[in-house]
Amino acid sequence: MRYSIKSNWSSTFESLSKNSVLFTPFIIIAFLECLALELFFFSARTPLVLLFGPIIKKIFGEQFLHYPGNLVLLPRLFYYGQIVIYILAGAFLTAIAVKIFVNIRTGHPVILKAIIKGAGRRYLTFVGYGLIYIALIFILERGEGFAFLKFTRLISRHLFKISPQIYSIGAAKLLFFTFVIVQIFLALTIPIVITEKKALFKAILGSISIGMRHFLKVFCLVLVPLLLYLPLIFMKTFLVAIIDKTFPDISLYITFLGIVAAIFIDCFVMMSLTQFLLDTKKAK
Amino acid sequence: MKKLIIILALILIAIYAGLSILGSGGEYAAEKIFHGAMKKAYKIAANPDVAPPAQLASVERELKLLLKKYPNANITKFGHIALLEFYVNNKKYNEAMDAAEDISRKYSSDAGMLSTSQFSRGLIYEKQNRWNEALEKYKILEEKYPTTRLGIQMPLYVGRYYDSKGNDKEAREAYREAVTFYAKMESEYSGKMLGYTASVLSIQTHLSLKDYGAAGKALEYTLNKYPSFASFMQLLPLVENIYIENLNMPQKAVELYKYVQSKIKDRRILKFLEQKIKALEIKNK
């Protein structure tokens, strides 16, 4: 099948610019993430320290309850918060956005109440998907991290020394590509659940199958917009150095920037993938 | 859509403002001032001669603000010490002496802070080449606060001062006094952290005296008396220094390495020791 990625992007872009309602679920995700970020940002101060203090002290150590240690820890805490938000609400809200997009593209009316109700009936499916998605990323991250560490150690021992900076950049890039690869094979699950009303595991298999059959196309659709995340990923990788060169609160701003960027990037990726799914179905 | 964004943004702003107000003041705010001042102080310390006067004044102002605004915060203790060090480093000796007095007054029941204040007084005199007055302060520190981190180091410190000035006779005398002091401290606090510290300082004093035989005995004693991973990590380099490099007794080094091997479980250290032993045994053959 010949497929124009350019026309996919232009029609997705057009849909998004004409129907700002598509952003609504992603704005709500961003709101929840901002809320989590605020709570973590204030977790070392009264009164939240009463709640977070003992947990942070036990898991990460006393130094992360004091300025500026708490701001070094902030992105990590936020990452854990993001995982919880994604499982409990992120996947569900993404499904709502996909349904809105499908209705717009297929000429059906967009009745938010009905869409939310419909997605709500399959809430557990989305929670299940969120769990599988996060577990897979976690396992791959650990596995790849371990393999990368062994590989770089081998190179350092036998060929040339790898500096910690190069190692950090390599590890960050690897994590990014893990994320992209998982997206290629799993990101179509939600659009399949919505458009084909399939059960979770069948939808996952469908997504993997499309990912394999149209690897390059899906790869492009996922990778190019996600490349916009790279500067943020590098900023997070070298956060301690950035804090040292600037000021500790920059950690909050970098994380906040990531949340704002996600509204547009995640929305665009998901809608272009849904558009791709609709186009492939039409071609059949 | 716009309405939704505005409502959500307002909720976030309200929560941020509320938490900011509730969390204002207290430890966190004090830590923030301290961190800001220290960051500037480190920059100055890297090149104190070219530090602009405005930057110097700003460090002093911020530290004083911390002491004034948050007198009871935990970090303020370090703020006092930082201000004192700042004055010493910038040769403001009168102000440094006042800061040391302040510490003694404010923390009159804190032996650690009192010993810091006492040491700083000695250091201020030492920096002004008034060694006799400095020595007087150091002796008081040694006598009054022998169980503090600074107090216990004083005998060796004095010996090293003489050494650095090339006063061999005074240095040897000070080191001998230090050996007696550390032996007394070790027996008084035997089996405790302080006893271990005294024991390590005793080894260092013997090394300063270049009495490697006595240093070796003290090292062996310490390894046997305080067998822990941390103590082995601190003392293992001394095995090489004393028994291989200075006494030329590789068999003794092998014996001690084997002893440490029998006491630890860390695989990397075990491997390291195995390599050391192998290398020494090949060399001996």
Side-chain angles (χ1 to χ4, degrees), chain A residues 11 29 31-32 34 41 52 84 90 96 101 103 117 140 146 168 179 185 198 209 211 213 216 236 238 271 279:
Chain A
S11 66
I29 296 172
F31 168 73
L32 294 173
C34 283
F41 179 65
F52 289 105
V84 175
I96 291 174
F101 184 78
N103 282 11
K117 216 173 165 184
L140 283 173
F146 181 74
S168 301
F179 179 63
F185 293 109
K198 279 188 178 170
S209 151
R213 272 187 286 132
L216 277 179
K236 282 183 184 172
F238 296 107
M271 297 314 133
D279 292 340

Side-chain angles (χ1 to χ4, degrees), chain B residues 109-152:
Chain B
S109 55
D110 184 333
M113 289 297 278
L114 287 171
S115 68
T116 304
S117 159
Q118 187 66 24
F119 175 74
S120 304
R121 283 177 214 180
L123 191 67
I124 293 163
Y125 286 126
E126 193 186 323
K127 294 254 178 193
Q128 296 176 91
N129 290 322
R130 292 158 70 180
W131 175 247
N132 288 339
E133 285 145 299
L135 185 62
E136 199 182 299
K137 298 292 172 196
Y138 292 150
K139 286 284 175 198
I140 294 171
L141 171 59
E142 181 190 319
E143 279 159 24
K144 274 178 96 171
Y145 312 107
T147 58
T148 59
R149 189 178 54 83
L150 285 166
I152 199 168

Side-chain angles (χ1 to χ4, degrees), chain B residues 204-270:
Chain B
Q204 286 173 0
T205 312
H206 286 303
L207 284 174
S208 298
L209 274 167
K210 297 195 170 49
D211 184 353
Y212 299 109
K217 274 183 192 159
L219 173 64
E220 198 177 347
Y221 171 82
T222 314
L223 282 168
N224 281 299
K225 180 99 186 187
Y226 302 95
S228 74
F229 184 76
S231 68
F232 290 149
M233 288 304 99
Q234 189 179 8
L235 298 172
L236 273 175
L238 292 176
V239 175
E240 181 154 350
N241 178 353
I242 296 169
Y243 284 111
I244 302 171
E245 288 168 15
N246 287 299
L247 291 174
N248 196 20
M249 290 168 68
Q251 322 88 293
K252 190 72 195 170
V254 169
E255 188 190 307
L256 289 176
Y257 285 148
K258 283 186 175 168
Y259 162 75
V260 174
Q261 250 185 343
S262 71
K263 295 278 177 189
I264 58 167
K265 286 176 184 153
D266 188 289
R267 279 169 63 191
R268 277 194 308 170
I269 308 298
L270 284 173

Side-chain angles (χ1 to χ4, degrees), chain A residues 20 23-24 27 31 34-35 38-39 41-42 44-48 66-68 70-71 243-244 246-249, chain B residues 1 4-5 7-9 11-13 15-17 19-20 22-25 27-28 31-33 35-36 39 74:
Chain A
S20 56
F23 287 109
T24 310
I27 286 170
F31 168 73
C34 283
L35 206 60
E38 278 190 355
L39 294 181
F41 179 65
F42 287 100
R45 298 186 220 183
T46 342
L48 294 181
H66 301 282
Y67 185 88
N70 65 318
L71 293 167
I243 283 178
D244 194 47
T246 55
F247 53 96
D249 293 53
Chain B
M1 177 76 167
L4 176 79
I5 294 173
I7 290 169
L8 295 180
I11 293 172
L12 289 173
I13 290 166
I15 292 171
Y16 188 93
L19 289 171
S20 292
L22 286 170
S24 63
E27 286 293 334
Y28 193 82
E31 284 166 6
K32 220 169 167 176
I33 296 177
H35 179 264
K39 205 172 169 186
N74 292 328

Side-chain angles (χ1 to χ4, degrees), chain A residues 10-24:
Chain A
S10 69
S11 66
T12 305
F13 190 78
E14 196 189 325
S15 299
L16 287 172
S17 54
K18 281 184 183 162
N19 305 282
S20 56
V21 68
L22 284 166
F23 287 109
T24 310

